[in-house]
Amino acid sequence: MPGYPPEDREVFESDAIALYEAAVEEKGIHTDDVRIAEGAPQRRAFDLLVDMGLLVKDPDTSMWRPIDPAASQSRVVAPLGAEGARLLEESARWTKAFSTLSQSWRRSPQSESSGPLTYLHREAISPYLNALLGEAEEELLTAQPQAGRDAQSLAAAALRDLEALERGVTMRTLYQHSARRQAITHKYVAQITEKGAEVRTLDEFFNRMIVVDRRVAVIPGADGPATAVAVRDPGIVAYLVDVFDRAFARGHPFVSTQTSVMREIAAEQRAMTIRMLIEGHADAVSAKRLGVSPRTYAGYVADLKAEYEADTRFQLGYMMGQLGITGQDADERSPAAGRKDANGDGSGP
């Protein structure tokens, strides 16, 4: 059976399914039914059902009878699966072939003479990263700020990273605390940690970075995510690794659900919200720094106003200033905590 293009699937979903269900309910469709007449709106859907073998003409009556869709499903779907598998295998072969060329280039004198920096723009970034990560032999370090990675990109990252881990490559990844709110990120982390990767989270804002074998680091360009810079200078790469190591040491394990750890994370996010308020950043900027949506950040601010019994942000800032609250210490306590200590029972004055 020939394959069916996407436009046939759209007709199948929008019209043919309904017509088939009607045929099932009515125990068939008469050959002179106006719904399947030439030029009728549902004629194309009817022709598609007949072509797929879902409607078959009864030789003893003037009826088109519905047929069990299981047989037709295998005839339609199986060739697509086979073609998909073939394309995946062909893609893997091409990737392997180009990986050999890439390795030869990077180890050649020409690569070194082109300088320690390679600027990548837009569509060139993803293929470069895929090739670079495919060459990893010892270690991957990745810093992923914010949690805004969609399901498709995380699924692709999971396949790529699992392949590296299965090759024996070690992997450490750093997220912001806000990533813990994302179900798709939890799924991705579960997959890679099962294979030995370490994932931690920090409250601080940081830029995206990938370091492969402590040999090449990829960082954002000055004009934002549309440009990336591949750095091969050993001194700069070593410096970036040191920055990563220090940040990773301060992080909390992503997979930890201990009450004490979750309490520390909440305290760190609270302290950073206070710092954003004191420094006077706009909500959009503060939300980005925390890796959350503006709406979530507004909720954090509302919680602080309730905690300090303030009606406005100005009043909130004034009260925190009077109490010496700076947001520099996650252990800084609210007025409610102070009243509890003073009374010994938390009952207030």
Side-chain angles (χ1 to χ4, degrees), residues 12-31:
F12 188 80
E13 291 174 331
S14 61
D15 298 321
I17 289 177
L19 185 60
Y20 176 84
E21 290 175 342
V24 171
E25 185 176 347
E26 298 165 15
K27 298 181 180 179
I29 299 177
H30 202 277
T31 54

Side-chain angles (χ1 to χ4, degrees), residues 129-177:
L129 278 176
N130 289 335
L132 184 64
L133 294 171
E135 297 170 13
E137 298 175 349
E138 299 176 1
E139 180 186 55
L140 287 177
L141 306 177
T142 66
Q144 299 287 353
Q146 306 174 59
R149 302 175 75 188
D150 57 49
Q152 184 176 359
S153 64
L154 270 178
L159 288 174
R160 182 188 65 207
D161 297 341
L162 288 171
E163 288 179 359
L165 290 165
E166 288 171 358
R167 294 198 307 270
V169 176
T170 62
M171 181 177 178
R172 287 185 291 155
T173 292
L174 194 60
Y175 278 107
Q176 284 179 272
H177 289 328

Side-chain angles (χ1 to χ4, degrees), residues 4-65:
Y4 291 90
E7 48 268 30
D8 280 344
R9 176 185 48 73
E10 292 172 2
V11 171
F12 188 80
E13 291 174 331
S14 61
D15 298 321
I17 289 177
L19 185 60
Y20 176 84
E21 290 175 342
V24 171
E25 185 176 347
E26 298 165 15
K27 298 181 180 179
I29 299 177
H30 202 277
T31 54
D32 60 1
D33 193 303
V34 294
R35 291 174 295 182
I36 62 174
E38 290 290 341
Q42 290 180 292
R43 178 67 192 203
R44 186 179 176 190
F46 168 74
D47 290 339
L48 185 59
L49 290 173
V50 172
D51 188 61
M52 288 183 169
L54 289 167
L55 289 179
V56 176
K57 192 172 184 180
D58 188 335
D60 299 326
T61 66
S62 298
M63 299 288 288
W64 288 94
R65 303 290 185 185

Side-chain angles (χ1 to χ4, degrees), residues 184-231:
I184 57 172
T185 305
H186 274 274
K187 182 179 179 180
Y188 163 75
V189 171
Q191 289 178 301
I192 62 172
T193 53
E194 185 180 357
K195 296 295 183 179
E198 289 185 78
V199 183
R200 296 186 182 183
T201 64
L202 266 183
D203 63 325
E204 299 177 17
F205 174 80
F206 46 85
N207 262 323
R208 180 168 281 110
M209 180 176 72
I210 297 174
V211 183
V212 178
D213 293 339
R214 305 199 174 205
R215 176 176 55 88
V216 183
V218 181
I219 59 176
D223 55 351
T227 302
V229 184
V231 182

